[in-house]
Amino acid sequence: MIVEGKLSARVAEIELLNPTLKRFRFVPEGGGTFPTSPPGAHVLVTLRDTDRVWQNAYSLVTPPDQRDHYAIIVRRVVESRGGSHFLHDMLKAGDAVELGVPASLFPIASRARKHILISGGIGVTPFLSYLPVLALRGANYELHQFCAGDEVETFRDLLGTDAAGVHVHSAGLGARPDLAALLADQPLGTHVYTCGPEGLMDAVEETARGLGWTPHAIHRESFGGAKGGEPFVVTLARSGRSIEVGASQTLLEALEGAGIEAPCLCRGGACGVCLLPVVEGLPDHRDHVLSDAEKSEGRLIATCVSRARSETLVLDF
Amino acid sequence: MGIHFKTDETFRDDFSYRNSDAAVLRFPFPFGEDTYRYSVNIEPHVKAGPSPAFEHAFDVDEHYVAECRERAIVLDHDPKRCQVLPHMMPAQWDTLELLMESLSTDYPEHFSLTRDGTAWHWINRPLNLDQRFVFGDASTLPCEPFEYITRQAQGDFTLQDQRDNNLYVDGGMVTTQADWSLEFDIGMSFHEWHGPVPLAHEIGVFDRALQYLLRLQYGHPVRRLNWTMTINPRLDTSPENYPDWGPDRTTLTAENIAGKLHLRVELQTLFRLPRSNAILFGIRCYLISLQDIERVKKWHKRLHRVLATLPPELVEYKGLIRFYDLLVSRLAAMDDGTPLSLGIQPDQTQLPA
């Protein structure tokens, strides 16, 4: 499959799943089919308002063989950078959207003998595309979804109330998931995958490591963790242009806002496509691509998530 | 208008393989500059480029039918030329889907795929095949899906599984190889199977190539050209059959070199596969005789300059030592030293007789 450019699509249907969750179904513009999507894939959704453009990454909740449509589930975030607000409040059935090719940064491990999926809240979305695949392969798996008590019904409906191996846990205030109980005494060859709030993913990773799991058997979804910080100024050495990066936007968004076509793919510090060489300044690395050694050298920066510790940053671009 | 297939040609015994003039002019000549060195020469595999060989996801040319027959002969003698490890079954189906979709989209006059859910119907007109099967159910095909579809494609294929930040060659269909063995390499990691290559390790080529390929994205395949030389238009130059072709190198003379010596070019493509997250590596082999290269003035002169400046380690690794002096002196006689255009395009649209 060679895909050049973006996938043109239309909103076919918007369903309200609960007061803050909506499912959006997209169909190919002009009919036909979308590319087979990898399980656990996400798509970059480009949304255009009259005066600005949002690009947000969302996990596909549709399985690989669902090619007549793709679907995403989005929570309306109160302190949204704009994307979820636009999707929830502005987007209507019939609207045109552009989708990136589904990118696979959270694949199912080929040699796992057993799969344990641990998600929190809306972090369950990549596992919605895993489950039909694991079932079709006859794989041995367990899914543990942790969510607020008032969302248990919503997630049970999404996951299928009768599905074997699927457990929805109410994790209200003060009730911490007992991850050690889930991860202890698992057979050799078991892999764990986690997606959700950083705190949950950190806890899963720490618990698994503490129990002696090999790092290669621990997988975490990693896009969407970008957070703001102090404003700074980026200068592009080749053109001499200087651009201000605001407190609540990413370096990549600032470049795009200035009309600069900077490379990017996952927009979550995982794929490495956006790495640019640093000429001057101290990067504040927040990506998962560069090694610790590369981060301390400070010669490359992942523009989609990382920022500057210095007031200015000069890039060779 | 379809491709006119040369159905009778052979890659063994009487070696009746020949390129038409059109096939010569579309040959993916691998030298864009007057010198050749190892580099990470990987570019996006878009449907365009300086040779029509780049215009499709998988190039099909006049040798298609004959190459598929040659593959079947090799597999008859040695079934282990096709092996896939058990955990790669999703990658097998990915490969079948990718090849069937690409061939039927790019060459609708020769291939057709119709689908109703998991009920698929595949028609391969050049090979006269008509197959209905259930996608995902290997028992509905005559053999496993990877073998089934790669028997119907030109060039070799390997499947790389991605895990532990490395790539492992966990499957392949390898019958047109430049002296390497799937049976020997299967299960190896990226650096293990590239172990024999000289010079490139020292300059970090494989470290960087691995980092690049680990991030290879679905929908955005990449490609590169590789090359060596082969005596006679023989596709199966395998270590297993070395006694059959190794001695050929001693048979070259000033009189027969132009007809017997072939430049062997591999159009290598790398596709991220969706269900498995594996990488399909296509190694599409093209052969052109020295006498056909000499009909393209630019390629003749450039080949001379590349060979004359080739590092001795590469002369040895590519197996050129025995005939190197003979070849370079022959090419030198026709190279007047005029500057050549950058790039691999032939710079002529017709060939002398």
Side-chain angles (χ1 to χ4, degrees):
Chain A
M1 176 74 57
I2 300 176
V3 183
E4 290 172 31
K6 291 182 183 286
L7 307 171
S8 298
R10 244 168 228 290
V11 181
E13 188 185 9
I14 303 174
E15 287 168 84
L16 188 66
L17 301 178
N18 78 16
T20 63
L21 293 181
K22 280 185 176 179
R23 175 162 50 203
F24 300 82
R25 291 183 201 270
F26 304 115
V27 293
E29 177 75 65
T33 54
F34 286 129
T36 299
S37 62
H42 69 268
V43 287
L44 200 60
V45 182
T46 304
L47 304 162
R48 295 178 195 281
D49 198 358
T50 44
D51 58 348
R52 68 160 291 195
V53 174
W54 286 283
Q55 291 203 308
N56 283 36
Y58 298 100
S59 294
L60 287 181
V61 298
T62 31
D65 298 311
Q66 190 82 56
R67 295 180 58 180
D68 58 343
H69 75 268
Y70 287 162
I72 60 174
I73 297 176
V74 180
R75 185 188 296 283
R76 193 185 193 293
V77 182
V78 177
E79 291 182 19
S80 158
R81 285 184 296 131
S84 77
H85 154 71
F86 185 92
L87 276 158
H88 268 255
D89 302 342
M90 313 286 282
L91 204 62
K92 304 180 303 295
D95 285 354
V97 292
E98 287 177 355
L99 305 177
V101 184
S104 174
L105 298 172
F106 194 46
I108 295 174
S110 63
R111 296 212 305 181
R113 304 274 174 90
K114 181 176 180 184
H115 311 263
I116 297 182
L117 321 178
I118 300 176
S119 47
I122 193 60
V124 75
T125 49
F127 296 148
L128 292 171
S129 68
Y130 269 39
L131 287 180
V133 174
L134 292 172
L136 198 65
R137 292 181 190 174
N140 183 3
Y141 67 89
E142 293 171 15
L143 181 146
H144 296 276
Q145 161 72 353
F146 295 93
C147 61
D150 58 359
E151 292 204 313
V152 166
E153 281 313 307
T154 304
F155 288 113
R156 284 213 170 113
D157 288 347
L158 277 173
L159 290 161
T161 40
D162 310 326
V166 171
H167 310 273
V168 180
H169 308 274
S170 172
L173 288 173
R176 295 184 64 84
D178 187 356
L179 297 172
L182 298 181
L183 296 174
D185 298 324
Q186 290 293 348
L188 273 178
T190 305
H191 284 233
V192 63
Y193 310 75
T194 181
C195 183
E198 291 286 323
L200 175 71
M201 294 197 291
D202 287 345
V204 168
E205 191 164 355
E206 280 163 26
T207 307
R209 281 174 184 259
L211 289 166
W213 287 51
T214 160
H216 294 313
I218 306 167
H219 311 274
R220 59 190 283 173
E221 175 62 296
S222 60
F223 71 88
K227 296 187 196 79
E230 291 297 308
F232 61 100
V233 174
V234 62
T235 300
L236 304 181
R238 297 190 201 171
S239 61
R241 288 185 66 182
S242 288
I243 296 145
E244 289 184 19
V245 183
S248 66
Q249 68 180 156
T250 67
L251 171 50
L252 178 60
E253 285 171 344
L255 295 175
E256 290 173 336
I260 292 157
E261 283 193 29
C264 75
L265 184 73
C266 75
R267 304 181 79 89
C271 72
V273 169
C274 73
L275 290 171
L276 291 179
V278 176
V279 182
E280 266 179 53
L282 283 177
D284 175 8
H285 295 291
R286 299 177 180 187
D287 62 278
H288 304 282
V289 176
L290 297 171
S291 66
D292 289 346
E294 287 170 321
K295 284 178 181 171
S296 51
E297 282 177 9
R299 291 185 194 163
L300 288 170
I301 185 166
T303 63
C304 68
V305 290
S306 298
R307 303 180 61 85
R309 294 185 193 285
S310 45
E311 288 180 4
T312 60
L313 197 62
V314 182
L315 302 181
D316 180 11
F317 187 71
Chain B
M1 197 192 81
I3 301 161
H4 179 67
F5 298 108
K6 304 172 81 175
T7 54
D8 294 331
E9 62 186 6
T10 57
F11 301 88
R12 56 179 65 225
D13 304 322
D14 64 343
F15 295 111
S16 65
Y17 168 92
R18 297 290 180 278
N19 282 304
S20 67
D21 284 7
V24 171
L25 288 168
R26 79 193 295 280
F27 192 84
F29 189 75
F31 307 117
E33 300 175 64
D34 287 350
T35 54
Y36 175 82
R37 296 292 184 273
Y38 279 132
S39 63
V40 183
N41 57 334
I42 308 178
E43 62 177 359
H45 184 34
V46 292
K47 290 183 171 183
S51 158
F54 297 128
E55 287 173 0
H56 303 102
F58 299 95
D59 184 43
V60 172
D61 67 12
E62 63 187 19
H63 308 297
Y64 173 78
V65 173
E67 286 190 31
C68 291
R69 186 190 313 113
E70 166 70 14
R71 165 153 293 159
I73 295 170
V74 175
L75 288 167
D76 267 356
H77 290 133
D78 186 358
K80 293 178 100 174
R81 299 297 189 87
C82 183
Q83 298 186 50
V84 187
L85 297 182
H87 62 277
M88 301 300 278
M89 188 51 85
Q92 292 206 36
W93 289 108
D94 278 333
T95 304
L96 177 135
E97 177 183 60
L98 174 62
L99 275 160
M100 286 188 177
E101 279 196 17
S102 300
L103 292 174
S104 58
T105 304
D106 290 344
Y107 305 95
E109 66 276 41
H110 299 304
F111 306 95
S112 136
L113 176 66
T114 46
R115 283 175 284 198
D116 180 8
T118 57
W120 289 31
H121 183 197
W122 169 247
I123 298 173
N124 178 331
R125 294 183 191 92
L127 299 184
N128 198 24
L129 298 172
D130 186 314
Q131 180 73 45
R132 292 174 193 273
F133 63 99
V134 177
F135 186 86
D137 181 354
S139 71
T140 60
L141 284 170
C143 54
E144 290 200 340
F146 179 80
E147 178 179 345
Y148 179 76
I149 196 58
T150 57
R151 276 177 176 269
Q152 301 175 47
Q154 289 172 272
D156 287 341
F157 294 89
T158 62
L159 286 172
Q160 277 65 230
D161 190 26
Q162 181 162 333
R163 57 180 191 269
D164 310 350
N165 289 316
N166 209 325
L167 296 171
Y168 296 84
V169 57
D170 284 349
M173 166 66 90
V174 179
T175 67
T176 69
Q177 68 275 55
D179 199 8
W180 71 279
S181 165
L182 177 67
E183 167 74 351
F184 186 77
D185 285 2
I186 193 161
M188 284 189 182
S189 69
F190 192 79
H191 284 75
E192 285 172 337
W193 88 73
H194 285 109
V197 183
L199 304 177
H201 290 275
E202 290 81 346
I203 57 172
V205 163
F206 294 118
D207 296 328
R208 278 179 287 136
L210 175 61
Q211 288 311 310
Y212 181 87
L213 292 176
L214 290 173
R215 294 171 194 162
L216 179 68
Q217 289 297 322
Y218 177 55
H220 302 288
V222 297
R223 69 181 174 224
R224 68 182 286 261
L225 293 176
N226 195 17
W227 68 278
T228 185
M229 289 185 155
T230 301
I231 320 304
N232 295 320
R234 188 191 292 275
L235 284 175
D236 180 21
T237 50
S238 57
E240 287 88 345
N241 284 347
Y242 185 79
D244 293 343
W245 57 270
D248 289 350
R249 289 175 185 163
T250 64
T251 65
L252 287 184
T253 64
E255 289 69 41
N256 68 18
I257 189 169
K260 286 190 93 166
L261 184 64
H262 287 70
L263 177 63
R264 180 187 192 103
V265 173
E266 293 172 350
L267 169 53
Q268 303 183 342
T269 51
L270 294 132
F271 290 81
R272 174 73 66 192
L273 300 175
R275 294 171 184 80
S276 58
N277 199 45
I279 291 176
L280 178 69
F281 182 37
I283 312 159
R284 171 78 160 81
C285 178
Y286 296 82
L287 294 166
I288 187 171
S289 66
L290 179 59
Q291 66 194 13
D292 277 339
I293 293 174
E294 290 178 350
R295 296 165 77 199
V296 180
K297 280 186 187 150
K298 174 183 165 185
W299 292 354
H300 181 175
K301 295 175 188 180
R302 175 146 290 154
L303 182 61
H304 167 244
R305 296 172 199 183
V306 164
L307 290 176
T309 57
L310 198 64
E313 294 89 342
L314 290 186
V315 174
E316 173 163 0
Y317 175 65
K318 290 181 183 286
L320 317 181
I321 282 189
R322 275 186 173 271
F323 52 85
Y324 180 78
D325 292 339
L326 176 65
L327 173 61
V328 173
S329 60
R330 177 186 168 98
L331 290 167
M334 293 292 291
D335 184 0
D336 57 8
T338 50
L340 300 173
S341 64
L342 280 178
I344 69 172
Q345 68 287 353
D347 288 352
Q348 65 191 61
T349 54
Q350 299 221 317
L351 296 178

